[in-house]
Amino acid sequence: EKELQEMTDVLAEFREDPDTTQELQGIVSELENTVAELQTQVDLVFNLVDSSSSTDINRSVISIYQNIDQAKELQEKMSTLTLITLQTSAQTQGLIAGNVLTQSVILGIIVSLIAIITTVTTDRRLRTISTLTNTAAAITAGDLSRVAPVESNDEIGTLAGDVNSMTYHLRELNGYLEQRVADRTKALATSTEVS
């Protein structure tokens, strides 16, 4: 009776489990019916012990053993189905874990590539700005022969072109002013000679 009660409790847990498949639910129902019939037969044997013959008791016991055999078969089916369900769940979880790992690796590679591209681009820009700064410093110091390299068509390339244009105009202005000084010096020398 105690074992039958424990089996009834386990079957109730199976019935309430939302993950139990349709096929397993059918076996649980069949096993519940068999357990209920066993309970009735066990109760009948206990009642027969005091008032019936041994033949009636033996028939009831044989009937109980037949139901126990049926219950064992159903339990084996439940065990097999539960094992299959667990294996399927394990395989599914393994696939999910594999997919997550693959996606993580791909994401890591993409992030690494973005970091490398960003580093290279930033380094190139900073070198271009550094070169432009050095050229502007040399021009400011008076070296009007320097030319800023124009390496791109973006804002930095435009700025380098403007620095080159400004340097060209400074060279022209410097040449014009030197010519005027030379002309004035010659005019002063001529004026001094005439005087």
Side-chain angles (χ1 to χ4, degrees):
E1 285 183 332
K2 182 180 176 186
E3 289 175 3
L4 287 173
Q5 184 58 46
E6 288 174 0
M7 192 178 290
T8 303
D9 294 342
V10 169
L11 291 173
E13 288 177 19
F14 266 103
R15 173 120 4 240
E16 293 172 5
D17 187 3
D19 294 332
T20 304
T21 63
Q22 285 280 357
E23 189 175 0
L24 195 56
Q25 286 286 354
I27 293 172
V28 168
S29 294
E30 201 174 330
L31 195 53
E32 282 176 337
N33 292 338
T34 303
V35 168
E37 192 175 320
L38 270 171
Q39 184 67 49
T40 305
Q41 290 172 343
V42 167
D43 290 341
L44 181 66
V45 167
F46 283 131
N47 291 336
L48 288 176
V49 168
D50 294 332
S51 63
S52 294
S53 69
S54 60
T55 307
D56 291 336
I57 295 173
N58 284 339
R59 273 193 221 128
S60 296
V61 169
I62 290 171
S63 178
I64 288 173
Y65 276 115
Q66 288 172 349
N67 284 332
I68 288 174
D69 288 340
Q70 184 181 356
K72 284 180 182 178
E73 287 177 24
L74 291 171
Q75 284 177 327
E76 286 178 21
K77 283 183 183 178
M78 277 183 62
S79 297
T80 303
L81 282 174
T82 304
L83 182 62
I84 290 170
T85 303
L86 290 175
Q87 287 173 340
T88 305
S89 294
Q91 288 173 347
T92 303
Q93 288 175 355
L95 289 174
I96 290 170
N99 287 341
V100 168
L101 180 63
T102 302
Q103 290 172 355
S104 297
V105 168
I106 291 171
L107 182 62
I109 290 170
I110 290 171
V111 168
S112 297
L113 287 175
I114 289 172
I116 290 170
I117 291 170
T118 302
T119 302
V120 167
T121 304
T122 303
D123 182 53
R124 188 173 185 181
R125 287 226 184 235
L126 290 177
R127 262 192 272 132
T128 304
I129 291 172
S130 176
T131 303
L132 186 59
T133 302
N134 291 338
T135 302
I139 292 170
T140 302
D143 184 5
L144 296 179
S145 64
R146 293 286 290 266
V147 176
V150 179
E151 297 177 355
S152 61
N153 292 329
D154 59 0
E155 294 85 7
I156 295 171
T158 303
L159 181 60
D162 290 345
V163 166
N164 289 338
S165 176
M166 180 185 68
T167 304
Y168 172 77
H169 290 301
L170 283 174
R171 269 188 254 140
E172 282 187 346
L173 181 61
N174 194 21
Y176 172 74
L177 289 176
E178 285 177 359
Q179 184 61 42
R180 289 216 33 195
V181 167
D183 289 346
R184 292 265 179 170
T185 303
K186 188 176 179 185
L188 280 173
T190 305
S191 177
T192 305
E193 266 183 46
V194 170
S195 297

